Amino acid sequence: MVYKTVIVDDHPIVISGIAGLLSDLENIKIVEKFESGIVLLDYIEDNTVDLILMDIFLPVINGVDLCKTIKQKHPKIVIIGMSSQSERSLVMQFIQNGGNGYILKNASFDEFKNCIYKAIDGEIVFSEEVKTIISQPLSEELERIPALSRRERDIALLLSQGKSTQEIADDLFLSFLTVQTHRRNILQKYKMKNVAELIAFLLKNNMLN
Amino acid sequence: MVYKTVIVDDHPIVISGIAGLLSDLENIKIVEKFESGIVLLDYIEDNTVDLILMDIFLPVINGVDLCKTIKQKHPKIVIIGMSSQSERSLVMQFIQNGGNGYILKNASFDEFKNCIYKAIDGEIVFSEEVKTIISQPLSEELERIPALSRRERDIALLLSQGKSTQEIADDLFLSFLTVQTHRRNILQKYKMKNVAELIAFLLKNNMLN
DNA sequence: TTTTTATTACCTGATATCAGGTAAAAGCAG
DNA sequence: CTGCTTTTACCTGATATCAGGTAATAAAAA
């Protein structure tokens, strides 16, 4: 079987580079190249596509939303995201929105080739550097961040569920004033302005649940 | 090379089941079986371990935290998470904390085998059902959830950064009262009690960024 | 073109949060 | 056993949020 492949990138140079790399691959046939996601959406309505390689940073519509939209209508199309630099949360978001893999553009020809074949085979794939990015926080971020105490975690969790100070006090059989103290301590510990920023911070750092 | 493997699960029956499955594999040698994460942490300080298969729902310390702790000191150990049922966010959290793969316990022998070999080979692997779980929201959740309008998204983003109504108004060159209206509309749209719950909701559903 | 949705804006009052200071009892670690 | 951290608790005042209602303009969809 030959996989009909589309490349989407707003840099023509990158398109031709990738096209060159892929031209060697037997069962990958590049049928179209686009510089915009909107045009791609039109195209896949009228044409069969098996594989899409797309830049994540696109004008108008970003890669994550584009991927989501495509997968809703065409779940069988294999979509691999690409970018020059990246960060953990972006990669995870892309995968959560249906992406089948993520490759950094500095990946070697072999990496590209392997990732593409494995993705077609139904796996979720990452290029080497992406793998290290995904499990990065272990060495840097997390060591600097102080942990929540048990009680603080309880309270933060209830805060994330929309509970007020009074409701939390009732839930945990504490005084209103005690919960207030904990709240203040948590905000000070992480130098946050208010609960909104706090919850965002805690969730992004996986410190709740 | 033979991979020294440890199984951690609080159900003895599951341990023996997995041990049985793995006993056929050539270069996988099970050196220990634990029912608790704490004991495992002690063990790996004094012994060489190459591969860990761990249940995610463990007493005392959960699998995600256990994985994080192990990877901080021993990044080279390959860790695969397992559970009977699972949800998207849990799998993503496990991977973000250094996990090399995730398998549902109902996976076939072949799936187990393939995932383990690929993980050892440096890949991040998921069993079939996990893959479907990861990219699920496309069909169910997301269609029910109304989208944020552009302006609402701007405001929600600034809220998640700890900005007050007045600061947001200044940032976006709007009236304080306008921002207040948007805030109320967003809360009503998703039936949230306050910003804390809202931010938690939006982040969990990838509706910010 | 009409209708709907989005964006902008104002007013009021009740309630909640945030920041300041203070402090005692319990639990853990050196 | 003696510090250190955690958890508990109280007081006050300034500021912010939330909920109620109302409404005009602009933009997009029907």
Side-chain angles (χ1 to χ4, degrees):
Chain A
M1 179 191 169
V2 174
Y3 289 89
K4 292 180 179 167
T5 302
V6 174
I7 303 175
V8 192
D9 200 309
D10 56 327
H11 310 290
I13 309 156
V14 177
I15 290 191
S16 80
I18 295 170
L21 285 178
L22 298 189
S23 62
D24 295 8
L25 302 188
E26 292 272 319
N27 46 355
I28 305 288
K29 189 190 173 193
I30 296 164
V31 291
E32 271 299 343
K33 304 161 187 178
F34 297 117
E35 298 185 24
S36 144
I38 308 296
V39 191
L40 171 67
L41 287 173
D42 285 342
Y43 181 81
I44 58 176
E45 290 310 314
D46 309 322
N47 302 275
T48 310
V49 172
D50 304 300
L51 172 65
I52 298 173
L53 294 170
M54 61 163 69
D55 190 14
I56 294 301
F57 300 105
L58 290 169
V60 192
I61 184 170
N62 69 65
V64 176
D65 290 340
L66 184 58
C67 179
K68 189 199 298 182
T69 310
I70 294 170
K71 280 284 183 170
Q72 274 168 345
K73 283 210 166 182
H74 309 275
K76 283 184 184 166
I77 297 179
V78 173
I79 304 180
I80 297 177
M82 304 178 298
S83 60
S84 300
Q85 303 96 236
S86 192
E87 49 166 322
R88 196 176 62 264
S89 70
L90 187 67
V91 177
M92 300 315 256
Q93 242 187 74
F94 186 72
I95 300 302
Q96 280 176 50
N97 284 91
N100 301 82
Y102 203 104
I103 306 177
L104 276 196
K105 286 182 186 168
N106 64 4
S108 67
F109 176 46
D110 278 344
E111 271 188 276
F112 261 97
K113 193 178 129 187
N114 284 328
C115 286
I116 289 169
Y117 278 136
K118 282 173 184 165
I120 286 172
D121 207 44
E123 284 182 45
I124 290 177
V125 290
F126 304 104
S127 71
E128 286 308 315
E129 218 174 311
V130 174
K131 282 183 215 161
T132 65
I133 289 172
I134 290 175
S135 51
Q136 198 78 93
L138 306 170
S139 44
E140 299 162 55
E141 287 174 55
L142 273 170
E143 290 184 49
R144 287 198 296 262
I145 301 174
L148 284 167
S149 75
R150 208 169 306 168
R151 212 42 159 177
E152 286 170 348
R153 202 190 133 283
D154 293 342
I155 288 168
L157 192 62
L158 292 170
L159 282 174
S160 77
Q161 289 163 17
K163 305 263 175 114
S164 69
T165 303
Q166 187 59 61
E167 288 172 325
I168 294 171
D170 294 344
D171 280 16
L172 301 178
F173 304 104
L174 293 174
S175 157
F176 175 89
L177 299 152
T178 301
V179 177
Q180 219 170 24
T181 304
H182 281 301
R183 289 182 65 140
R184 183 180 30 178
N185 289 340
I186 301 172
L187 288 180
Q188 275 173 358
K189 182 183 276 185
Y190 302 108
K191 297 187 186 68
M192 296 288 146
K193 294 192 200 74
N194 53 42
V195 268
E197 190 183 16
L198 177 71
I199 297 300
F201 172 83
L202 294 178
L203 283 177
K204 282 178 182 166
N205 289 96
N206 285 315
M207 294 168 71
L208 289 181
N209 289 318
Chain B
M1 179 190 165
V2 173
Y3 289 89
K4 292 180 179 168
T5 302
V6 174
I7 302 175
V8 191
D9 200 309
D10 57 326
H11 309 291
I13 309 156
V14 177
I15 290 190
S16 80
I18 295 168
L21 285 179
L22 298 188
S23 62
D24 294 6
L25 303 186
E26 292 272 321
N27 48 355
I28 305 287
K29 190 190 172 192
I30 296 164
V31 292
E32 272 298 345
K33 305 162 186 175
F34 297 118
E35 297 185 24
S36 143
I38 309 294
V39 190
L40 171 68
L41 287 173
D42 285 343
Y43 181 81
I44 58 176
E45 288 311 312
D46 307 323
N47 302 274
T48 310
V49 172
D50 304 301
L51 173 63
I52 298 173
L53 294 171
M54 61 164 69
D55 190 14
I56 294 301
F57 299 106
L58 290 169
V60 192
I61 184 171
N62 69 66
V64 176
D65 289 341
L66 184 59
C67 178
K68 188 200 296 182
T69 310
I70 294 169
K71 280 283 184 171
Q72 274 169 344
K73 282 208 167 182
H74 309 276
K76 284 182 186 168
I77 298 179
V78 173
I79 304 180
I80 297 178
M82 305 178 298
S83 60
S84 300
Q85 301 94 237
S86 193
E87 49 168 321
R88 196 176 63 265
S89 70
L90 188 67
V91 176
M92 299 316 253
Q93 244 188 71
F94 186 73
I95 300 303
Q96 280 176 53
N97 283 86
N100 301 82
Y102 203 104
I103 306 177
L104 276 196
K105 286 181 187 169
N106 63 4
S108 67
F109 176 47
D110 278 344
E111 271 189 276
F112 261 98
K113 192 177 131 186
N114 284 329
C115 285
I116 289 169
Y117 278 136
K118 282 173 183 165
I120 285 172
D121 208 45
E123 284 182 44
I124 290 177
V125 291
F126 304 104
S127 70
E128 286 309 316
E129 216 174 310
V130 174
K131 281 182 215 163
T132 65
I133 290 171
I134 290 175
S135 50
Q136 198 77 92
L138 307 169
S139 44
E140 300 163 56
E141 287 175 54
L142 272 170
E143 290 184 50
R144 286 198 295 262
I145 301 174
L148 284 168
S149 76
R150 209 168 305 168
R151 212 38 160 180
E152 287 171 347
R153 202 189 133 284
D154 293 343
I155 287 167
L157 192 62
L158 291 170
L159 281 174
S160 76
Q161 290 162 16
K163 305 261 175 118
S164 69
T165 303
Q166 187 60 61
E167 287 172 326
I168 294 171
D170 294 344
D171 280 16
L172 301 178
F173 305 104
L174 293 173
S175 156
F176 175 90
L177 299 152
T178 302
V179 177
Q180 219 169 27
T181 303
H182 282 300
R183 289 182 64 142
R184 184 180 28 177
N185 290 339
I186 301 172
L187 287 180
Q188 275 172 359
K189 181 183 277 184
Y190 302 108
K191 297 186 185 68
M192 297 286 146
K193 294 192 200 77
N194 53 40
V195 269
E197 191 183 15
L198 176 71
I199 298 300
F201 172 82
L202 294 178
L203 283 177
K204 282 177 182 168
N205 289 96
N206 283 317
M207 295 170 70
L208 289 181
N209 289 317

